[in-house]
Amino acid sequence: MVTRTAQQIWDTALGELQLQVSKANYRTWLEKTRALSYKDNQLIVSVPNTFVAEYLDKNLRSLIEKTLIGITQSEIKVSITVDNPDRLPEANPVHQGLALVNLPATANLTRLNPKYTFDNFVVSKCNQLAYAAALGAAEKPGLPNYNPLYLYGGVGLGKTHLLNAMGNLAANRGMRVVYASAEQFTNEFVNSLRERKTGDFRNKYRNADMLLIDDIQFISGKEQTEESFFHIFNELRDADRQIALTSNCPPNSIPSIEDRLRSRLEWGLTTGIQLPDFETRLAILQNKAEKEGVNMPPDVLEYIAQRIKQNIRELEGSLNRVVAYSRLLRTMVTPELAGEALEDIATKHPKTVSRPALLLETVAQYFSLETSDLKSKKRDKSTMFARQIAMYFMREQTDFSLASIGLELGGRQPIVVSQAHKKIATQLEQDPELQRQIGEIQQRFTRR
Ligand code: ADP
Ligand code: MG
């Protein structure tokens, strides 16, 4: 038998769980989890917060364990741990029966994901500059030309992967690496204000040999956080400590950050990652299939690579999904089978994207309304509900931004769209009637 790492087992389990729970459930509770270790039949899974930990423990534990038993063919116990245990209220066991495990202090300090290395990053035309720059800066940190290193690109194109690869390489060489998403950075900063521990906060960051901040665009508009980052940035750069940042856009497109910070972000090397071409997508799939020991006919890999174009995370998710599907059906994988397994992903892209009007019409008809009602100012209960459902669908199934969804629906504010989406998504977790309705609308729409 091939020995599999904790993360490989967990990835396979996630692929199967994806088929067994609703999409919304999967996104909310499972997508952001990862496996930390697998020993003595115990799999330690880390989750982003206690809320998710409690939910998984209460509602999905038995399904998860059953799925894992199917995969490993042995009894397996799952322990759930929160990614960042230092934010847990002390002496407050989250939940009876929930095994909380403390991470070693270093893992907690760096939060690096060991899975992401330079070795397992597939290099091609679309990302070779970013790759070379990241590797260069990790090997010879602190050179002014590379400092800061600023990587930008769309969702799921490998920014977080490269940033972690830098951190892993540097940490292995004994450097003090501090890695945080800009969101974590912000939260820590806010907590430190509240607890009057801004000194500790600053020390943690300014003592870094290498500072890695993921999704830096997140701090835009958060003035105090930005200010604090600005000072840390200056200190580190003056001391020739390497700084690397990722973002969804180049520095000059980040909305509302101060000019003095913007110009500093441009001081070093800025490089973008482009969408992967077909050959790259195929190479990534081959790489992953091989690593996980799954035997997948070449035409199936090609099929998947042709189908998923925008996002490497989705590409990998699709492979997991196809593998899981064939395991469930116990049959050989063919491109047709892969097509079935990916059915709803296909309807999500790009066909749907060009059909927002049809989507609105489907929702309106389902509730015996006109599309114009959805766009109107009407505020009676049933129109408002239908409108929220429409927003939910637009958000889930198109690549439209919150703002453009708002525009499609009669010029509503992005925040309204985001609230509607959240409300429906939350309600969907526990409301079978709503699940039925959403399912029916989905079917009607898919058939059109
Ligand atoms: P981003 O941070 O840009 O949204 P991630 O770094 O999280 O994207 O990448 C999404 C997934 O795709 C990760 O599992 C990552 O390992 C994988 N991935 C992205 N680019 C590559 C690549 N060039 N080679 C191998 N895996 C990749
Ligand atoms: Mg990322």
Side-chain angles (χ1 to χ4, degrees):
M1 207 187 98
V2 231
T3 37
R4 287 178 294 182
T5 64
Q7 188 61 41
Q8 284 167 352
I9 293 172
W10 187 236
D11 280 342
T12 313
L14 286 177
E16 295 196 9
L17 288 164
Q18 220 176 74
L19 301 172
Q20 300 177 58
V21 304
S22 74
K23 200 186 235 169
N25 261 322
Y26 183 81
R27 282 230 185 122
T28 316
W29 309 115
L30 291 162
E31 193 170 76
K32 297 206 180 95
T33 58
R34 60 194 172 94
L36 297 178
S37 74
Y38 176 47
K39 218 169 58 198
D40 304 332
N41 287 345
Q42 189 191 43
L43 183 77
I44 300 184
V45 173
S46 102
V47 303
N49 55 52
T50 50
F51 188 53
V52 173
E54 281 184 37
Y55 185 92
L56 288 183
D57 185 51
K58 218 157 69 201
N59 302 299
L60 290 177
R61 173 180 289 280
S62 70
L63 181 66
I64 291 174
E65 292 187 342
K66 237 188 278 161
T67 307
L68 285 166
I69 290 169
I71 293 167
T72 58
Q73 304 296 329
S74 57
E75 275 303 316
I76 196 161
K77 174 144 178 32
V78 175
S79 295
I80 301 166
T81 171
V82 176
D83 235 347
N84 186 6
D86 57 10
R87 243 187 284 145
L88 283 178
E90 265 170 58
N92 177 15
V94 179
H95 193 273
Q96 291 283 318
L98 174 75
L100 269 182
V101 183
N102 277 319
L103 293 175
T106 48
N108 186 21
L109 181 71
T110 64
R111 296 195 195 94
L112 288 169
N113 187 340
K115 194 173 96 172
Y116 295 148
T117 62
F118 286 112
D119 283 345
N120 61 19
F121 190 82
V122 176
V123 186
S124 74
K125 233 175 32 217
C126 59
N127 57 28
Q128 64 190 14
L129 280 178
Y131 172 86
L135 184 60
E139 286 190 323
K140 286 198 180 144
L143 297 179
N145 289 349
Y146 283 69
N147 209 7
L149 174 64
Y150 186 103
L151 303 176
Y152 68 91
V155 179
L157 297 186
K159 301 183 298 294
T160 297
H161 187 134
L162 282 178
L163 204 61
N164 277 273
M166 289 181 70
N168 285 320
L169 190 147
N172 282 339
R173 296 185 176 177
M175 290 177 72
R176 265 184 75 98
V177 177
V178 178
Y179 170 94
S181 67
E183 191 174 0
Q184 286 163 341
F185 182 89
T186 305
N187 289 339
E188 277 177 35
F189 175 67
V190 172
N191 287 341
S192 79
L193 280 182
R194 202 187 49 226
E195 291 161 10
R196 297 169 205 272
K197 288 189 181 154
T198 46
D200 291 354
F201 171 81
R202 221 173 320 121
N203 282 337
K204 166 177 168 186
Y205 283 92
R206 64 202 253 205
N207 287 332
D209 296 322
M210 177 180 279
L211 175 63
L212 308 169
I213 304 280
D214 207 359
D215 290 316
I216 189 69
Q217 78 277 359
F218 185 85
I219 68 167
S220 101
K222 304 185 174 68
E223 285 160 30
Q224 284 198 64
T225 308
E226 195 182 312
E227 160 109 24
S228 146
F229 176 73
F230 179 77
H231 291 302
I232 291 168
F233 181 103
N234 287 338
E235 273 191 60
L236 289 177
R237 195 171 183 284
D238 285 346
D240 290 332
R241 311 274 175 76
Q242 182 67 43
I243 302 166
L245 310 161
T246 69
S247 168
N248 63 0
C249 61
N252 60 16
S253 309
I254 304 181
S256 58
I257 58 167
E258 282 198 50
D259 285 341
R260 57 176 193 173
L261 179 58
R262 192 192 304 282
S263 75
R264 276 170 178 71
L265 296 182
E266 291 168 337
W267 268 356
L269 181 66
T270 297
T271 168
I273 304 184
Q274 267 75 48
L275 286 181
D277 53 24
F278 173 73
E279 287 75 14
T280 309
R281 302 198 298 272
L282 189 58
I284 287 171
L285 286 174
Q286 284 164 343
N287 190 5
K288 184 160 162 90
E290 191 179 314
K291 231 176 27 211
E292 315 230 322
V294 298
N295 193 359
M296 194 58 81
D299 56 348
V300 172
L301 293 182
E302 281 171 26
Y303 175 83
I304 301 174
Q306 248 149 21
R307 192 127 167 195
I308 312 289
K309 301 197 166 111
Q310 307 285 330
N311 179 327
I312 294 172
R313 186 176 300 115
E314 203 169 313
L315 196 63
E316 295 183 338
S318 300
L319 178 65
N320 284 340
R321 209 180 155 101
V322 172
V323 172
Y325 200 70
S326 77
R327 280 175 54 102
L328 283 181
L329 300 182
R330 296 177 199 288
T331 71
M332 260 291 292
V333 195
T334 60
E336 288 70 42
L337 185 82
E340 269 173 47
L342 301 181
E343 196 75 43
D344 60 342
I345 295 182
T347 47
K348 184 176 162 197
H349 286 292
K351 222 166 38 181
T352 325
V353 179
S354 60
R355 300 195 305 171
L358 206 53
L359 189 56
L360 291 189
E361 194 182 306
T362 311
V363 174
Q365 275 176 9
Y366 183 84
F367 292 103
S368 310
L369 297 169
E370 300 291 332
T371 307
S372 58
D373 293 324
L374 298 179
K375 302 185 180 208
S376 74
K377 298 230 172 331
K378 285 190 194 161
R379 296 190 56 84
D380 61 285
K381 225 169 150 190
S382 57
T383 311
M384 278 177 58
F385 180 63
R387 194 177 291 132
Q388 287 167 348
I389 298 274
M391 290 173 174
Y392 172 81
F393 266 102
M394 297 272 284
R395 187 76 182 138
E396 287 286 311
Q397 310 226 335
T398 73
D399 291 333
F400 279 44
S401 65
L402 291 171
S404 24
I405 297 173
L407 284 179
E408 286 286 325
L409 282 153
R412 291 182 154 81
Q413 292 297 320
I415 178 82
V416 176
V417 179
S418 139
Q419 281 165 353
H421 173 264
K422 203 153 148 199
K423 175 182 160 218
I424 300 293
T426 312
Q427 203 177 328
L428 203 52
E429 305 294 343
Q430 331 118 9
D431 183 347
E433 172 60 15
L434 184 61
Q435 286 164 9
R436 186 186 60 75
Q437 289 179 322
I438 295 275
E440 276 177 15
I441 298 173
Q442 177 73 62
Q443 268 178 9
R444 287 194 194 185
F445 178 62
T446 313
R447 270 194 243 116
R448 299 183 73 150

